[in-house]
Amino acid sequence: MPLQFGRSGFIKLGEESSYGSSASVTVSNRIVSSSLAESQERSRKTFLSQSSAAFSVGHFDNFLMVGGSVELPLLYEGSGLLIKAALGSVSSAGAGPSYTHTYAASADLPSLTVELQRGTGTSEKFLGCMISSISFSGAAGEEIMMSVDFIAQDANARTSATTASFGSGRQVFHFEAGTLSFGGNTYNVRSFECTIDNKLERRQVLGDKKTLEPAISDVREAMFNLTLEMEDDNLYNAQLGDTTSDAVLVFTNSDSDSVTFTLKNAYITDYSDPVNTFGALERSVTFMGESDSSNEAISIVIVNQQSSA
């Protein structure tokens, strides 16, 4: 049998009309890695009548656990379906050639059908995929990446290889970042991570090994984890004084496409600026977003040349 390789791996996505109902997968994305898989849990039977040497003589199926993570490049055009699934809603404006897509948080999170092409091997289609958490990250000298954690309901049997139809959307790179804006000041950023944790929980009930549609089980969190150049004591004082302000980071390319991450009503939950080198100092800061009567804790706005979000 020929060896299978990871090269040529990708995913295809489609938004489901109802949870767990297979959707047409029309959006293709290149990936860096994937751990999407289906696993059948099994437990031993607990009756006392085991073997004479005290080994188990029976077992039964427990829960069917489906899900995993996918890491892939962030695109100005082509990442919108995942961002909508992570936040909940999107609205678009513009008449072309430039369009503005605003991804906003809502409690009604859509589910996706995700088809994974396993490198040079087979493909596998996952149903009822909801995004438990998503993060966007990058550092100086790097591509900007997305990491998506899925909770899924079911998966079809692995089958023959599928084909991709990649779009022409451009990637987001480190040199396209602006400065961080917070509290009326701007800061040079060495690395950043924006994380949205949806606090989804599987719903296991009698009568089925598969989960029902996962539900939000706790307070959702949106945060920035940043490493910044040490230039002043503004953020140190903001942490001590409980300063609250929008934290904003924008990426813009030469086509005037942009991605704007806005953490609303952000406050600092962790700050560190140790003196441990002869060289330039740096500081690590964690911002947490907070909702108010008119804004949810986070929004992501993408400006591109695609009318569809």
Side-chain angles (χ1 to χ4, degrees), residues 46-63:
T46 56
F47 48 65
L48 298 179
S49 302
Q50 306 296 346
S51 78
S52 58
F55 289 102
S56 172
V57 298
H59 65 274
F60 66 97
D61 286 353
N62 204 311
F63 298 132

Side-chain angles (χ1 to χ4, degrees), residues 283-297:
R283 47 191 162 179
S284 300
V285 187
T286 299
F287 293 95
M288 182 72 72
E290 200 166 57
S291 297
D292 58 29
S293 59
S294 56
N295 295 287
E296 295 294 353

Side-chain angles (χ1 to χ4, degrees), residues 33 35 48 125 142 153 168 237 277 298 308:
S33 65
S35 64
L48 298 179
K125 185 175 286 187
E142 295 181 355
Q153 183 187 53
S168 58
N237 294 329
T277 177
I298 190 168
S308 171

Side-chain angles (χ1 to χ4, degrees), residues 27 76-81 90-92 99-101 103 302 304-309:
V27 177
Y76 290 102
E77 297 171 340
S79 297
L81 192 56
V90 63
S91 60
S92 298
Y99 299 88
T100 299
H101 311 289
Y103 301 86
I302 296 180
N304 59 25
Q305 281 77 55
Q306 292 292 321
S307 58
S308 171

